[in-house]
């Protein structure tokens, strides 16, 4: 038998959200079920999966998003808590009003 060299495989370490209290868990579940904003709902599901110690790759596959998106949501939630679930865009109506006010 020929000698086989074992090469370590580079793999990004798993990233998880901070410990989530039972009250925060209920709030996340409520957002995931009832939110009218798809972005907020998706982010809540990502955070819930991470809180249940699901690996990033599994969450990404489940939600059909990239692993980098999942990592970013987790990092943002750890940093900003529930504010990180809100979409970063503003509704078009607000931007149109702002434009007309400044003119």
């Amino acid at each position: 038998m020929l000698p086989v060299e074992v090469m370590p495989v580079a793999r990004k370490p798993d990233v998880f959200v901070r410990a989530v209290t039972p009250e925060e868990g209920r709030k996340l579940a409520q957002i995931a079920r009832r939110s009218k904003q798809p972005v907020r709902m998706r982010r809540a599901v990502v955070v819930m999966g991470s809180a249940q110690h699901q690996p990033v790759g599994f969450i990404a596959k489940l939600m059909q998003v990239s692993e980098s998106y999942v990592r970013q949501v987790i990092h943002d939630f750890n940093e900003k808590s529930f504010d990180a679930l809100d979409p970063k865009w503003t509704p078009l109506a607000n931007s149109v009003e702002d434009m007309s006010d400044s003119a």
Side-chain angles (χ1 to χ4, degrees):
M1 182 185 253
L2 295 172
V4 177
E5 184 178 337
V6 178
M7 300 281 292
V9 177
R11 184 173 94 93
K12 290 187 177 183
D14 285 329
V15 178
F16 297 105
V17 294
R18 60 173 173 72
V20 176
T21 65
E23 183 179 321
E24 288 176 323
R26 285 189 290 276
K27 187 173 178 181
L28 283 168
Q30 182 180 12
I31 291 168
R33 282 193 306 265
R34 297 187 183 138
S35 180
K36 301 293 183 201
Q37 298 174 331
V39 173
R40 188 171 166 84
M41 182 182 295
R42 186 180 316 117
R43 290 177 183 169
V45 172
V46 166
V47 172
M48 284 175 45
S50 181
Q52 296 170 357
H53 297 291
Q54 298 295 333
V56 169
F58 179 78
I59 298 169
K61 206 175 279 189
L62 177 72
M63 298 302 299
Q64 297 181 348
V65 294
S66 69
E67 289 186 12
S68 63
Y69 174 82
V70 173
R71 284 189 184 89
Q72 188 62 53
V73 169
I74 292 169
H75 286 302
D76 289 348
F77 186 81
N78 286 340
E79 202 173 290
K80 303 174 195 165
S81 191
F82 282 89
D83 290 340
L85 301 180
D86 294 328
K88 292 177 176 65
W89 48 267
T90 58
L92 182 60
N94 286 346
S95 62
V96 170
E97 289 173 11
D98 292 342
M99 292 166 114
S100 63
D101 289 344
S102 63

